[in-house]
Amino acid sequence: MKLLIVDDEERFLHSTQKLLNRKGYDVETAPSGEKCLEILGEKAIDVVILDVKMPGIGGMETLRRIKREQPMTEVIMLTGHGTAEYAVDALLRGAADFLVKPVSIPELIEKVEAAMARRMVLEEKIRAAKALKAAEAGLSTQSSDPAGPEETITNTANSGKKQ
Amino acid sequence: MKPESADNIMRRTILSSMILIPIIPFILVIFIGYFYSKIAIENRTVESMQRIVEDHRQMIDTFLRERRTNLEFIINTHAFEDLNTSRSIEFVYHNLRTISNAFVDLGVFDEDGLHVAYHGPYQLEGKVYKKEPWFKEVMETGVHISDVFLGFRDYPHFIIAVKKTENSRTWVLRATIDTHIFNTMVGRIRIGDTGEAYIINRDGVFQTQPRTGGNLLETDPSRLKYLKHHDGIATYTSLRDYGWFGGLSTPVHDDYLVATVWLKEKPWLLVARQEKRDAFSGLRAVMYMIISIAAIGSATIVLVAFNQTGRLLQRIKDVSGEKAHLENQLIHATRLAELGQMAAGFAHEINNPLQIIRSEQALMDFILTEMKEKKEITNDQSIEELEDSMHQMIVQIERCSGITQAILKFGRHTEPQIEDIELKDFIPEIAGTISNKASVHGISVKQLIDEETPMVRGDKGQLQQVLINLFNNAIDTIVDRHGSHGGKLSISAKAAGDKWVDIAVQDNGTGISPESMEKIFSPFFTTKPPGKGTGLGLSVCFGIVEGLGGKMDVSSQVGRGTTFTVRLPAATA
Ligand SMILES: Nc1ncnc2c1ncn2[C@@H]1O[C@H](COP(=O)(O)OP(=O)(O)OP(=O)(O)O)[C@@H](O)[C@H]1O
Ligand SMILES: [Mg+2]
């Protein structure tokens, strides 16, 4: 499981990364939205923790792009602003959750785990769906056989008529 | 010199216009009134003077005519021979005296002026009067009334003489009139206190003794002006002669109202006069009246002006006070908004370092735990202390975080979602959320919502925030004072006029001291111990209520309790 923390506070990235590493998480960091998208393009990331207020493209815009390019990636928004509007907006745009700074690390981990679980469930479902689709695909190949003769019959009939 | 205050200038301006504007027409009216009554009184006085003088003239004329006709009667009913003896003339004289005792003597003259017969106090028989002007005149015109003169007797008298021609004989009958009686008769005229009458002849010589200013048979040159010939009655008066104020000023010499008329029987001028002060005394009464009316009227105007100016100024003061108050409130509200924004930015910035501290703390905690588990550190005492210290960091971070959250809430600028709120449903709902907390502290919560309370216009979320804040404050202060027994909290709502609804939250807590009262709505003002209150509750309420177009009020008594009133606009039906 891979985690990406995006925040313009270097020290926050540093110490949080260290802590989470120690707790056994694989953590990447990015100091800006741009860098975040770059990393996402290179590595497979499961959960992104995204600060809202950053220089460059802000958190909300970054969220929008992540969701466009990799809708499967879970994003937890992190902000100093605890207003309902932001929360609602972020959730509507596809964020998995919304945390208000200063968030306690146990809570953060909890949310990450929840997001991860959700992602896992989602992946499971997708896999199942894909399997189903694959199964259906397989079934349809098999069932094309009866159609063949029918076609043939028709064709035959037609040709018979023509003939 | 001290510059005059605007208040004083305004007072003076208002006062002077309030006095001058009514007083000018008032004085004008009074003057016109005075002027007309003056003319009326003057006319009436002069008219009555003229009437009296005319009556007097008629009386004097009648007297003279009667005396003349007395003599004419005697001369017509007697022959010269009947009267040319002193015996016979004495008899006739006595008869004459019974008709009028003004006759002093009686005498008969022949055509040569010889005094033939005489009866009277003097010895005149035998004197010849041919050269005397009176004799000449009576011979010419048949009748003669003389001016007053001294004559042979050296005593002022005047005579009436008539002539008769019969059987080529001409003779003259003459009588002397008692000037004393005539004097008395002429002088006896009743006009006011100072009225008098006298007669002057064509040369201005006194024919009767005037009561004032002159002697019989003397001439007073100042009276010659009356002598021009005129028909009827002439009066001499002029406004200037007796002054604007009807002779209130000291009388000058010859300060008289004068009426003159020529007699018919004799070219004598009857002069009647009265001191103007006396004549126009009515005018003085009017004057006094007008002065008192003017005085009372002016005093009233001035009094009313002072009174009204006082009231007006007070009113202006009140209004400007109100305005200043409103301005203050407005400034307060704007300041609050600015402060809110600033505080929000500030809180936001604080949150980042707080977050870092939190991460660092978590890291330290984790490392510490690891080291402990790996037995890398073994001093239990130190570990305990470190752990306690770690815990304190969390607590303090939580505290900071609480503050920044409150500030952010305070500084939040969201457009209120205005709707009509039914307080009968809304207030019990909100009260329900605190009922638990209240009952824990033994507080009885009363809801007094008037049946007639109209709906209010507001934002439900915001109004909830306001009420919860007020309830929490009330509960805090109640617990402060009563612990967990005897607390009372009441929430009431009722219409205030047509346009407003008052929601009041009343507690029986400690009350607010006057010093605190000024500051309770200011952000960060709190009397609660550190870490307990942010001091933002009421300023948030204030901002919200202001934003909803309402007003917040508070009344409090230390040791009694406090009532916060929120006034909101009523929903228009
Ligand atoms: N009902 C009340 N009775 C007595 N004092 C009050 C009452 N309401 C407010 N005050 C006083 O006004 C101060 C400011 O109140 P405000 O609600 O703004 O802040 P606070 O209650 O101290 O803090 P917070 O609301 O964040 O808990 C309080 O500290 C208290 O002294
Ligand atoms: Mg409070």
Side-chain angles (χ1 to χ4, degrees):
Chain A
M1 180 173 74
K2 209 159 189 140
L3 214 61
L4 173 60
I5 306 178
V6 189
D7 198 308
D8 54 332
E9 294 278 353
E10 294 280 3
R11 182 67 206 193
F12 171 62
L13 296 178
H14 173 81
S15 47
T16 314
Q17 184 183 32
K18 215 159 44 181
L19 177 66
L20 292 180
N21 278 339
R22 281 188 179 238
K23 293 215 172 192
Y25 296 92
D26 188 359
V27 179
E28 292 282 335
T29 60
S32 68
E34 289 89 340
K35 187 83 188 149
C36 157
L37 292 172
E38 209 174 285
I39 292 172
L40 278 179
E42 293 164 359
K43 299 175 182 166
I45 302 289
D46 298 307
V47 177
V48 179
I49 296 167
L50 185 55
D51 188 26
V52 172
K53 205 170 153 240
M54 283 181 302
I57 61 167
M60 293 310 253
E61 174 59 19
T62 311
L63 170 67
R64 203 178 57 79
R65 294 196 194 173
I66 294 172
K67 281 292 151 185
R68 198 180 54 200
E69 282 154 30
Q70 305 183 18
M72 285 295 288
T73 311
E74 292 287 341
V75 182
I76 295 169
M77 300 305 285
L78 187 59
T79 181
H81 226 295
T83 63
E85 291 93 280
Y86 272 111
V88 170
D89 202 23
L91 295 176
L92 284 178
R93 287 187 192 199
D97 218 322
F98 190 93
L99 287 171
V100 177
K101 277 187 187 177
V103 66
S104 73
I105 302 302
E107 195 185 346
L108 183 78
I109 290 171
E110 195 180 295
K111 297 280 184 201
V112 168
E113 288 290 350
M116 199 67 87
R118 203 164 41 246
R119 167 148 190 172
M120 233 104 104
V121 170
L122 206 63
E123 274 177 354
E124 195 58 44
K125 275 185 187 161
I126 290 170
R127 212 173 298 127
K130 272 187 180 157
L132 194 69
K133 208 171 164 191
E136 270 175 7
L139 201 68
S140 73
T141 340
Q142 284 166 8
S143 67
S144 67
D145 286 344
E150 209 175 309
E151 186 97 341
T152 325
I153 293 163
T154 322
N155 283 346
T156 325
N158 278 349
S159 56
K161 269 179 195 169
K162 275 176 194 168
Q163 284 163 2
Chain B
M1 209 178 80
K2 223 168 61 176
E4 201 152 22
S5 76
D7 262 14
N8 271 343
I9 293 172
M10 183 151 73
R11 167 182 287 277
R12 258 224 320 271
T13 316
I14 295 175
L15 202 58
S16 54
S17 49
M18 290 235 314
I19 291 175
L20 287 183
I21 289 169
I23 228 167
I24 288 172
F26 176 67
I27 296 287
L28 219 63
V29 163
I30 278 197
F31 258 101
I32 290 169
Y34 169 68
F35 188 69
Y36 277 103
S37 45
K38 183 183 168 84
I39 289 176
I41 286 173
E42 186 188 307
N43 286 345
R44 218 184 50 225
T45 310
V46 170
E47 271 165 23
S48 88
M49 176 84 152
Q50 285 174 339
R51 213 170 41 245
I52 291 168
V53 167
E54 175 59 19
D55 290 350
H56 208 54
R57 180 202 62 78
Q58 273 181 17
M59 194 189 75
I60 295 166
D61 262 340
T62 307
F63 173 83
L64 291 175
R65 192 172 56 248
E66 277 174 355
R67 301 294 77 78
R68 175 170 59 81
T69 46
N70 290 154
L71 295 184
E72 278 170 354
F73 178 76
I74 294 167
I75 206 167
N76 286 333
T77 52
H78 292 84
F80 178 67
E81 290 77 15
D82 300 337
L83 293 174
N84 60 358
T85 64
S86 47
R87 280 269 310 280
S88 57
I89 200 83
E90 184 183 353
F91 178 73
V92 172
Y93 171 74
H94 284 299
N95 279 344
L96 197 55
R97 284 282 293 189
T98 60
I99 298 168
S100 168
N101 60 359
F103 289 109
V104 179
D105 63 5
L106 189 64
V108 174
F109 301 79
D110 68 9
E111 56 198 335
D112 297 323
L114 178 68
H115 211 321
V116 181
Y118 172 80
H119 180 79
Y122 303 101
Q123 208 31 263
L124 302 173
E125 266 168 38
K127 288 198 177 198
V128 177
Y129 287 83
K130 188 160 184 132
K131 294 263 169 39
E132 294 293 316
W134 71 264
F135 188 77
K136 281 188 201 155
E137 188 168 334
V138 78
M139 290 305 281
E140 248 169 61
T141 60
V143 59
H144 174 69
I145 300 174
S146 77
D147 283 339
V148 174
F149 64 109
L150 291 171
F152 294 123
R153 323 167 193 188
D154 210 18
Y155 178 82
H157 63 287
F158 73 93
I159 56 156
I160 302 174
V162 292
K163 173 189 93 164
K164 185 183 174 191
T165 306
E166 183 192 42
N167 306 331
S168 74
R169 176 192 287 275
T170 300
W171 57 287
V172 169
L173 184 65
R174 184 190 82 163
T176 301
I177 303 295
D178 185 341
T179 48
H180 183 67
I181 288 177
F182 187 65
N183 233 345
T184 313
M185 184 184 67
V186 170
R188 197 196 312 126
I189 189 165
R190 283 268 59 92
I191 334 173
D193 296 332
T194 61
E196 61 173 326
Y198 55 85
I199 288 173
I200 52 177
N201 73 4
R202 263 193 265 204
D203 303 320
V205 178
F206 285 115
Q207 300 298 303
T208 62
Q209 174 68 47
R211 210 167 65 191
T212 57
N215 286 314
L216 192 65
L217 290 179
E218 279 174 4
T219 308
D220 181 350
S222 73
R223 303 180 203 222
L224 293 179
K225 64 183 176 199
Y226 303 138
L227 282 172
K228 52 186 183 274
H229 181 77
H230 60 80
D231 291 327
I233 299 162
T235 47
Y236 299 86
T237 178
S238 80
L239 283 175
R240 211 175 292 115
D241 277 354
Y242 54 91
W244 271 95
F245 291 102
L248 207 64
S249 52
T250 46
V252 292
H253 180 63
D254 204 23
D255 200 7
Y256 291 97
L257 170 63
V258 177
T260 61
V261 61
W262 287 98
L263 297 186
K264 297 243 161 63
E265 286 296 316
K266 163 84 192 165
W268 279 347
L269 187 69
L270 172 64
V271 179
R273 63 176 201 172
Q274 185 184 8
E275 278 183 17
K276 279 171 188 164
R277 236 175 16 146
D278 182 23
F280 298 112
S281 61
L283 206 54
R284 206 170 340 157
V286 169
M287 251 299 302
Y288 284 137
M289 201 170 78
I290 276 171
I291 286 177
S292 30
I293 288 175
I296 292 171
S298 304
T300 309
I301 287 171
V302 168
L303 257 165
V304 168
F306 264 98
N307 186 317
Q308 291 294 358
T309 305
R311 281 196 202 185
L312 207 65
L313 284 175
Q314 189 54 47
R315 183 85 197 96
I316 290 171
K317 223 190 209 161
D318 288 353
V319 169
S320 43
E322 259 165 49
K323 193 174 144 248
H325 182 69
L326 282 180
E327 269 169 8
N328 265 345
Q329 254 185 356
L330 200 67
I331 289 170
H332 190 208
T334 354
R335 286 240 179 93
L336 223 54
E338 277 169 15
L339 196 73
Q341 261 163 338
M342 206 187 76
F346 170 75
H348 198 261
E349 288 313 310
I350 291 285
N351 274 340
N352 280 321
L354 272 183
Q355 179 67 70
I356 295 171
I357 296 172
R358 231 184 187 159
S359 293
E360 302 293 342
Q361 187 274 337
L363 184 59
M364 281 166 75
D365 194 40
F366 186 80
I367 293 172
L368 186 68
T369 315
E370 258 186 3
M371 287 169 85
K372 211 167 61 185
E373 276 165 7
K374 288 184 189 160
K375 302 266 189 271
E376 277 170 24
I377 35 171
T378 45
N379 188 336
D380 282 353
Q381 177 77 28
S382 302
I383 291 171
E384 222 166 83
E385 273 171 10
L386 266 175
E387 273 174 345
D388 180 52
S389 185
M390 286 294 185
H391 178 70
Q392 256 319 298
M393 278 174 79
I394 294 178
V395 169
Q396 296 309 324
I397 290 167
E398 284 296 338
R399 185 173 158 193
C400 285
S401 148
I403 294 171
T404 55
Q405 291 312 319
I407 293 175
L408 283 170
K409 239 190 246 169
F410 165 70
R412 188 170 60 179
H413 277 279
T414 46
E415 275 305 304
Q417 310 249 300
I418 302 290
E419 58 188 310
D420 290 354
I421 303 169
E422 181 59 85
L423 293 178
K424 268 167 272 181
D425 304 331
F426 188 70
I427 289 180
E429 209 177 285
I430 306 298
T433 65
I434 56 133
S435 63
N436 223 346
K437 189 172 170 190
S439 65
V440 165
H441 295 291
I443 299 168
S444 78
V445 180
K446 241 193 275 175
Q447 294 178 41
L448 307 161
I449 297 151
D450 196 292
E451 268 306 306
E452 308 283 289
T453 310
M455 302 216 278
V456 295
R457 289 196 66 68
D459 176 305
K460 273 191 173 174
Q462 290 190 341
L463 188 54
Q464 169 171 9
Q465 204 183 337
V466 169
L467 292 180
I468 295 277
N469 262 318
L470 294 181
F471 292 159
N472 280 335
N473 282 349
I475 290 172
D476 289 345
T477 185
I478 287 170
V479 170
D480 235 23
R481 175 153 173 231
H482 298 280
S484 52
H485 293 286
K488 276 183 197 148
L489 172 58
S490 90
I491 308 125
S492 60
K494 63 176 188 319
D498 289 346
K499 299 222 175 89
W500 303 98
V501 176
D502 281 348
I503 303 168
V505 176
Q506 185 173 13
D507 63 61
N508 64 344
T510 54
I512 302 171
S513 72
E515 308 88 74
S516 298
M517 199 55 140
E518 290 170 15
K519 296 178 233 152
I520 53 167
F521 290 110
S522 303
F524 306 114
F525 173 77
T526 179
T527 56
K528 291 170 189 169
K532 277 284 164 57
T534 62
L536 286 170
L538 284 178
S539 58
V540 166
C541 293
F542 186 90
I544 288 177
V545 173
E546 199 89 346
L548 294 176
K551 259 199 255 178
M552 263 191 94
D553 237 324
V554 55
S555 73
S556 181
Q557 225 178 328
V558 176
R560 273 283 176 82
T562 307
T563 305
F564 278 92
T565 308
V566 175
R567 174 165 289 192
L568 289 173
T572 36

